[in-house]
Amino acid sequence: MDSLPAAKRRRQCKDGEIEASSTLQNSSPVVLFAHGAGAPSSSDWMQRWKTMLKEALHAADVVTFDYPYISGAKKRAPPKAEKLVDFHSNIIKETAAKYPGHPLILAGKSMGSRVSCMVAALKDNNVSAVVCLGYPLKGINGAVRDETLLQLTVPTMFVQGSKDNLCPLEKLGATRKKMKAPNELHVIDGGDHSFKIAKKHLQANGSTQDAAEVVALQAIAAFVSKSLE
């Protein structure tokens, strides 16, 4: 799953210890990872993907946070995504100040990916790339919400389940053709909005959930590596 250039890979020291090369130390990305509408950053899904992203990208850190509406004792419905942009932007500034010199990658689950794209479209945020994990292209009324994506200029990657009702692949394909930003798509065959694949589908294809996610992470690593060249 090592998709980074050789110069950025770990090297074997003379004393047998593994040490990151200077190139990797200086350019390893920091990922700011935003949660979806219904579960906080402490959810099992977010924590598992946080760990996997950090390993796959050789990231200096994967920073998670909670939007204000979900961090209180009483669970509240999420506000419109636009109302989360300022809070998200402040987290970006704090993260950039903590990790100077490291390229910043925005990643998000569902709603978090939509807000990440809104933030990445702002001129005052120095973002190297965006990774969208289950982008919610369709709104509650079924309309395609592509305005934010069409404003982007930074490299953007979509990881989508083929059975994700919130993002029909044909509609995403039409949107991607209109985007100004360089963009890529990795489809998790049989995956739902959270990439979960039914057991029957896995058995029919001789695959496993873990294997499907490993391939997705390899694709993300290759995309990030290319974006940082």
Side-chain angles (χ1 to χ4, degrees):
M1 192 166 58
D2 194 350
S3 300
L4 294 177
K8 296 182 182 179
R9 294 175 187 158
R10 292 176 179 268
R11 59 181 170 81
Q12 186 77 31
C13 298
K14 292 181 180 179
D15 58 3
E17 295 181 356
I18 300 295
E19 180 181 325
S21 69
S22 59
T23 303
L24 176 57
Q25 289 175 330
N26 292 336
S27 63
S28 56
V30 171
V31 181
L32 187 59
F33 189 19
H35 64 78
S41 63
S42 59
S43 70
D44 290 345
W45 195 97
M46 284 290 296
Q47 288 299 306
R48 190 165 59 84
W49 274 85
K50 175 182 179 178
T51 299
M52 293 191 299
L53 286 170
K54 190 174 192 304
E55 179 181 349
L57 302 182
H58 299 288
D61 199 2
V62 176
V63 179
T64 55
F65 63 95
D66 287 336
Y67 291 115
Y69 80 90
I70 207 168
S71 59
K74 184 178 180 180
K75 187 175 181 180
R76 293 175 288 170
K80 290 185 177 180
E82 292 82 356
K83 294 186 177 182
L84 300 173
V85 169
D86 288 345
F87 182 85
H88 199 134
S89 294
N90 287 334
I91 299 294
I92 285 180
K93 292 179 175 64
E94 293 174 5
T95 304
K98 185 177 179 181
Y99 296 96
H102 290 267
L104 182 62
I105 307 296
L106 299 187
K109 166 74 169 79
S110 190
M111 181 198 72
S113 69
R114 188 163 178 249
V115 181
S116 294
C117 288
M118 291 178 176
V119 172
L122 300 177
K123 294 181 180 179
D124 59 343
N125 287 319
N126 187 18
V127 174
S128 296
V130 184
V131 178
C132 301
L133 304 177
Y135 192 87
L137 187 61
K138 283 177 60 177
I140 296 176
N141 61 359
V144 173
R145 303 182 293 192
D146 60 2
E147 298 85 358
T148 297
L149 298 178
L150 300 183
Q151 294 173 7
L152 284 171
T153 56
V154 300
T156 305
M157 181 172 191
F158 301 94
V159 180
Q160 302 291 151
S162 65
K163 294 187 177 182
D164 183 355
N165 293 328
L166 293 181
C167 189
L169 294 179
E170 68 276 7
K171 294 187 182 296
L172 179 59
T175 297
R176 290 180 58 220
K177 289 179 181 178
K178 295 186 290 183
M179 289 175 64
K180 294 178 291 185
N183 62 88
E184 295 184 14
L185 168 65
H186 177 80
V187 177
I188 296 180
D189 186 33
D192 63 10
H193 189 55
S194 294
F195 308 149
K196 182 67 175 177
I197 306 171
K199 289 183 179 180
K200 287 184 178 180
H201 186 93
L202 291 171
Q203 292 171 352
N205 290 275
S207 185
T208 65
Q209 184 74 40
D210 288 346
E213 291 176 351
V214 164
V215 174
L217 288 160
Q218 289 174 333
I220 294 170
F223 162 78
V224 170
S225 177
K226 183 166 60 176
S227 299
L228 297 183
E229 289 178 353

